[in-house]
Amino acid sequence: MKQLTVILALWLPLTGLTQTNLPGLLIEAENFSRKEPAKGDFARPAKNPSCSGGEYLVRFHEEGRCYYGFTVPAGGLYRGWLRYARRTGDGTIAITLNGKEMKAPLPATGSLEGAGAWKWTKLFEQNLSPGKHTLVLRNAAIRPDCIFISTVTKPPEITKLTDVTSSEALPADVQAKLAKPIEPVFPDWLKDCSRYQLPRWYDEVRVCAHTRLSSKLQNLPIFFQAGQAIASLGFKQFARHIKSGDEAAWWPSRVGAVQDWAKNRNVAKELIDDAHKNRLRIMVYHRHMEDGYMAKQHPDWVCVGPGGKYLHTKRGDNLCFNSPYVDYLIQRQLELVDLGADAFYYDEVHMPKSGCWCRFCKEKFKVETGVDHPTAVNPADPVYRKLIEFNNATIERAFLRIRRALHARNPEVVMLIGSNTYPGLGDPHLSHRLFRIADAMKTEFSLPARPGVSRVFSRDATLKPIPRDIRIGMGYALSRDATDGRPPHVWCHGLLDSESACFATAGMIAHGCVANLDNNEREIPNPALFKDAVALGNRVAPAFAGMRPLHWAAVHFSELARNRHLPNESAAWKQVIYPSVGAYQALSRARLPVRVLTDSHLEEGALDGYRVLFLPAPKDLTGTMRQNVAKFKAAGGLVIEQQPSWEWHDPNGGQEKATAEFLRAITGESVLVPVQALGGPPTMHCESYVAPDRKRLTVALVNDFSWVATGTQGNEDQADEPRQKRAPQSSKRTESEPVKTKRPSPCQGVTVVLRVHAQPKQITNLMTGQTLTTRQAGNTWEVSVPDFPILAVLRIEL
């Protein structure tokens, strides 16, 4: 990667991930000399490839200030500009230059994401003497990117290196080494994982309570008495913190450090016992990436960046999974298994998304690839992209070891592994193999529809935006199907009222998920918000217990093909991702059963029961995948390959044309589909499930749930600060969650068509308890579904 080396004769840049052709000093906003307050979330860096240096500052609206020291080589009239993003509303920012206070305008830039979101505003125009100066930025409701100080009369145009492909051809031997995968698409160690069956206690429940009762809240009465309050709402599962960050253990651990308040008191056991006493299964939120004591004892275990600095989150330094830290982590978690923990809740990214430059990673990368570890974060560098693949394999191997250890101690313990942005389809961080290891995936309610995850649509006007309900629905399908149909936990926070909670819960459950409803710690219990949603979940749970998604149409989600186009996100979407989403949308809107297959499924040949297979990138299949597709076709399966004329992404009628041609291509099979819903609004979703013995079906029909806005300001599972009681209907929303005031009208005129061998013995709508009758129409059975406002769940006995 070529870094910027000189901007003005005597000026040196502070960072080098940005190119500009103007003389001056470019200061990345995240490179402040200090900030006040020094700790906390204010002015925390976040990654964004549209930004200078690849990062910007979040939480800048919170009270605080950032200090920037700079030196000018000669006296003269200097101007300072700030590059920032602000969606709506004009404002100002208070600054201080060498002790002099002033204000600068902050016009709205129109967006918070994408290359067009970032605009310049002039901060000052002042005569400066040669030497050192200090600029202070006060908090404002913006996303600061960088500062430019110069004698010129305009700020520079920013050219991102991440948009530039590598110009240097690698030697042939290096290219050959990089072409060899770190791990096979379907390694031998996945065979046991693919046969895994969830314990009944997990599979029989479809709604769970989540809290963020961190150690900072230990003096609240609810901290040790939450079990009874949570159970009073009807919950049967309870996810709560047992280690929120890098703090010491909450129990007298035999390894590592122990909290002072837990040295003579087994707090973890008390919390676990409190849940069990109230007939709750407890999923312990055990923060696995940070441990302050071990970071100090073994600094070589800490992840480092390319410049040698420790990598950390707001909760502490990241510990590397290629170091001996994993051995220590396993010992800690086995202690919690022995204390009675029913499940582990692993949040976040597991390893730094940008990679790790610690000695363990450098040595292992060289051994496994034969290539030197890359020197910088540069998505245009094939060696760096190999590091991301290596990073994903590191995570998989660590969780495989953890899984084997926990299941050996107690086979009933469940591992919920966080997927970060994986359901958003475009991020190469994490791979399909990790979720075959996972007993179940953890994701979040509307994650695929958030602007940050969907930033490519704000950057490329030739990409047609995908309907919100489809983005969320396919994210759920991938979260479920990547783990062989096992129900993922979907964290849902910041719900405003009972109706929102019921719609959100219905949407998650209908798509085969567990609704993980976040409870504000200072409002437990909150029956007005949660009682109806929990009752809904408990009422329909029996229809989903032991069931798995019905196989009929499979849409391949090809990470291999996508990654060959990255870092060009637009190309990856147009050539690979959008065809998969388009086929999924066509099938979903037609209310035909559709599942998502990952690369490891196709490599394994997991095609039993399917009748239709869609391949978005048929030329990018491995040899084994081609053989399995050929077998599927020879056995009578219909294979639909993406056609060059199918421009699903095209906003000028391309998607409509591709959808029509795709549906025509599957007409011969669709007229024989075993389950299909007709009628109702276009955004009603239909999801079908079947029992292992195929003697029972479940058909879930859910009204549009995508209108639900979730999340107060900040959308992460944070435990650092106690959440205050909110005023009803007044919580600030995230920028990603537009609130809709108009709820969808009830679903009317819905008919479920069944093509089964004989008349169903009984059909019950579990939402109402009503027994529904069937009428025969040729070789099909039709069921009229009474109008419903949110959800209908049909349990069909065959």
Side-chain angles (χ1 to χ4, degrees):
M1 178 178 68
K2 294 182 180 180
Q3 295 192 354
L4 184 64
T5 55
V6 176
I7 303 182
L8 186 63
L10 298 176
W11 293 37
L12 295 178
L14 297 184
T15 61
L17 292 179
T18 303
Q19 294 178 327
T20 173
N21 57 3
L22 291 179
L25 179 63
L26 188 71
I27 307 173
E28 301 299 345
E30 61 272 15
N31 282 352
F32 43 76
S33 49
R34 65 185 175 96
K35 69 172 182 175
E36 296 174 355
K39 296 184 178 180
D41 279 352
F42 169 70
R44 179 163 54 85
K47 295 187 181 301
N48 188 317
S50 293
C51 295
S52 168
E55 291 186 322
Y56 65 97
L57 295 179
V58 294
R59 301 298 184 114
F60 204 73
H61 65 282
E62 297 182 2
E63 187 66 29
R65 62 188 72 191
C66 290
Y67 293 76
Y68 301 88
F70 64 95
T71 301
V72 298
L77 182 63
Y78 286 85
R79 301 168 182 87
W81 285 272
L82 172 68
R83 190 173 189 253
Y84 69 100
R86 176 188 180 100
R87 175 182 281 173
T88 58
D90 295 341
T92 61
I93 184 170
I95 70 169
T96 303
L97 180 62
N98 298 328
K100 181 181 178 180
E101 296 183 358
M102 57 189 82
K103 288 189 176 182
L106 290 174
T109 66
S111 179
L112 292 173
E113 294 289 340
W118 307 94
K119 309 293 184 186
W120 291 101
T121 189
K122 185 187 288 187
L123 293 177
F124 65 83
E125 184 170 345
Q126 296 285 317
N127 284 303
L128 299 179
S129 59
K132 296 181 179 179
H133 300 270
T134 300
L135 174 68
V136 183
L137 299 186
R138 289 291 301 266
N139 59 288
I142 59 172
R143 292 181 171 183
D145 175 23
C146 60
I147 300 163
F148 184 66
I149 299 170
S150 177
T151 57
V152 299
T153 58
K154 64 178 182 178
E157 293 293 327
I158 299 296
T159 302
K160 307 183 304 301
L161 289 179
T162 53
D163 286 344
V164 181
T165 57
S166 178
S167 59
E168 283 188 39
L170 295 171
D173 64 323
V174 174
Q175 293 185 44
K177 292 173 181 177
L178 295 178
K180 182 180 179 182
I182 301 288
E183 285 283 357
V185 178
F186 184 73
D188 287 341
W189 47 261
L190 271 188
K191 293 177 181 177
D192 289 339
C193 299
S194 65
R195 293 190 287 266
Y196 171 75
Q197 297 293 321
L198 280 166
R200 288 183 59 185
W201 73 260
Y202 179 98
D203 212 11
E204 291 179 347
V205 176
R206 293 300 156 132
V207 65
C208 173
H210 186 99
T211 71
R212 288 172 272 180
L213 285 163
S214 71
S215 59
K216 293 184 179 181
L217 302 180
Q218 61 181 286
N219 293 324
L220 291 180
I222 196 68
F223 187 85
F224 287 101
Q225 302 168 17
Q228 183 178 5
I230 291 294
S232 72
L233 297 173
F235 287 108
K236 299 175 184 178
Q237 291 180 2
F238 183 19
R240 68 170 297 168
H241 285 229
I242 216 82
K243 179 179 176 295
S244 302
D246 70 348
E247 79 269 26
W250 298 12
W251 66 98
S253 177
R254 294 184 294 273
V255 293
V258 177
Q259 294 268 40
D260 288 341
W261 58 294
K263 288 180 178 177
N264 298 310
R265 182 179 185 182
N266 196 327
V267 175
K269 181 169 175 52
E270 290 183 38
L271 301 180
I272 292 169
D273 289 348
D274 175 61
H276 289 163
K277 180 179 68 176
N278 288 284
R279 304 181 70 181
L280 292 166
R281 293 285 188 164
I282 184 167
M283 302 176 172
V284 297
Y285 183 104
H286 184 273
R287 190 74 177 186
H288 58 295
M289 295 176 293
E290 304 97 358
D291 190 294
Y293 176 79
M294 281 298 166
K296 290 179 181 178
Q297 294 295 309
H298 303 279
D300 60 330
W301 294 6
V302 179
C303 296
V304 296
K309 291 184 179 180
Y310 290 154
L311 296 177
H312 59 86
T313 68
K314 59 184 178 171
R315 304 198 198 182
D317 292 331
N318 284 145
L319 277 298
C320 182
F321 276 1
N322 277 322
S323 77
Y325 172 67
V326 177
D327 297 312
Y328 162 81
L329 181 63
I330 289 172
Q331 292 181 66
R332 270 287 177 85
Q333 295 184 345
L334 287 175
E335 290 180 350
L336 288 169
V337 173
D338 293 340
L339 293 177
D342 295 301
F344 285 85
Y345 191 104
Y346 303 96
D347 200 18
E348 267 287 349
V349 298
H350 317 303
M351 282 280 288
K353 294 183 77 168
S354 59
C356 175
W357 276 255
C358 77
R359 68 177 180 89
F360 298 102
C361 286
K362 284 184 175 181
E363 293 169 2
K364 195 166 186 177
F365 182 83
K366 180 62 179 286
V367 169
E368 296 209 1
T369 66
V371 177
D372 288 336
H373 197 283
T375 58
V377 175
N378 180 11
D381 177 10
V383 180
Y384 175 73
R385 294 200 297 274
K386 197 68 177 179
L387 177 63
I388 298 303
E389 182 186 340
F390 171 81
N391 207 40
N392 290 342
T394 295
I395 295 168
E396 294 157 15
R397 292 163 178 171
F399 274 112
L400 182 64
R401 289 184 58 203
I402 296 169
R403 182 181 191 271
R404 286 171 173 169
L406 299 188
H407 284 190
R409 187 66 60 90
N410 182 359
E412 293 272 299
V413 167
V414 172
M415 292 175 58
L416 298 171
I417 301 180
S419 60
N420 194 251
T421 55
Y422 182 82
L425 306 176
D427 191 343
H429 178 68
L430 305 181
S431 89
H432 52 95
R433 288 183 298 269
L434 177 63
F435 303 110
R436 302 295 293 277
I437 296 169
D439 297 341
M441 186 190 292
K442 175 262 171 182
T443 186
E444 300 181 8
F445 176 74
S446 58
L447 185 146
R450 293 177 186 164
V453 179
S454 302
R455 61 181 181 266
V456 68
F457 296 99
S458 63
R459 296 176 184 169
D460 189 345
T462 66
L463 282 169
K464 182 177 182 177
I466 299 168
R468 181 177 168 85
D469 68 298
I470 294 296
R471 286 288 275 147
I472 297 174
M474 187 168 180
Y476 290 168
L478 179 60
S479 301
R480 174 196 67 209
D481 297 340
T483 58
D484 300 311
R486 299 188 289 273
H489 256 240
V490 182
W491 183 59
C492 186
H493 67 308
L495 293 163
L496 287 182
D497 53 41
S498 177
E499 186 178 25
S500 297
C502 287
F503 267 91
T505 299
M508 292 181 276
I509 293 175
H511 287 85
C513 308
V514 177
N516 191 336
L517 304 178
D518 189 74
N519 290 244
N520 189 305
E521 295 74 40
R522 299 187 183 274
E523 299 176 354
I524 299 173
N526 188 343
L529 180 58
F530 292 115
K531 196 110 183 182
D532 290 344
V534 177
L536 180 154
N538 290 338
R539 188 180 304 124
V540 302
F544 295 89
M547 309 289 279
R548 290 297 177 262
L550 178 68
H551 288 188
W552 185 74
V555 171
H556 181 209
F557 169 55
S558 177
E559 294 173 44
L560 287 175
R562 176 201 66 188
N563 293 348
R564 290 183 181 124
H565 291 281
L566 293 176
N568 189 330
E569 283 188 284
S570 290
W573 271 89
K574 290 177 181 178
Q575 300 300 319
V576 182
I577 305 174
Y578 214 124
S580 292
V581 178
Y584 175 88
Q585 180 175 337
L587 291 161
S588 178
R589 288 286 189 255
R591 281 67 172 276
L592 297 168
V594 52
R595 308 280 76 87
V596 180
L597 287 184
T598 65
D599 287 334
S600 64
H601 288 114
L602 200 54
E603 186 83 358
E604 182 187 10
L607 293 168
D608 289 350
Y610 290 106
R611 296 300 307 159
V612 177
L613 172 63
F614 175 71
L615 301 174
K619 294 181 180 179
D620 287 319
L621 300 182
T622 67
T624 303
M625 289 179 185
R626 295 179 193 279
Q627 292 174 10
N628 290 329
V629 169
K631 291 177 183 177
F632 174 77
K633 195 171 183 178
L638 176 62
V639 177
I640 306 296
E641 296 185 351
Q642 166 66 11
Q643 300 299 309
S645 62
W646 292 358
E647 295 184 326
W648 301 90
H649 65 277
D650 180 16
N652 299 310
Q655 185 183 81
E656 291 75 9
K657 177 183 176 183
T659 298
E661 293 185 10
F662 171 79
L663 291 177
R664 278 198 296 272
I666 66 170
T667 298
E669 288 293 337
S670 62
V671 296
L672 302 174
V673 68
V675 180
Q676 186 176 12
L678 305 174
T683 52
M684 182 191 78
H685 287 211
C686 175
E687 297 287 323
S688 302
Y689 305 86
V690 64
D693 62 4
R694 308 194 71 80
K695 293 182 178 180
R696 182 160 57 94
L697 291 173
T698 292
V699 179
L701 304 159
V702 63
N703 204 348
D704 184 10
F705 59 94
S706 66
W707 62 269
V708 176
T710 64
T712 53
Q713 194 75 18
N715 55 17
E716 298 164 306
D717 188 6
Q718 299 170 40
D720 295 8
E721 297 296 334
R723 291 179 289 175
Q724 300 299 316
K725 271 198 172 184
R726 61 185 172 214
Q729 307 293 329
S730 67
S731 290
K732 293 181 179 179
R733 316 308 298 171
T734 63
E735 71 278 5
S736 59
E737 301 288 357
V739 178
K740 293 183 181 179
T741 57
K742 186 177 181 181
R743 277 52 167 166
S745 300
C747 295
Q748 299 175 325
V750 178
T751 299
V752 173
V753 178
L754 303 171
R755 296 180 180 88
V756 291
H757 62 278
Q759 183 177 11
K761 297 176 181 177
Q762 184 171 332
I763 301 177
T764 307
N765 182 356
L766 264 65
M767 281 295 295
T768 62
Q770 181 182 6
T771 299
L772 304 181
T773 59
T774 60
R775 60 181 179 274
Q776 190 171 6
N779 60 346
T780 65
W781 302 91
E782 295 182 354
V783 183
S784 294
V785 181
D787 298 349
F788 58 93
I790 302 177
L791 179 69
V793 176
L794 309 188
R795 184 168 62 182
I796 302 169
E797 305 292 339
L798 300 177

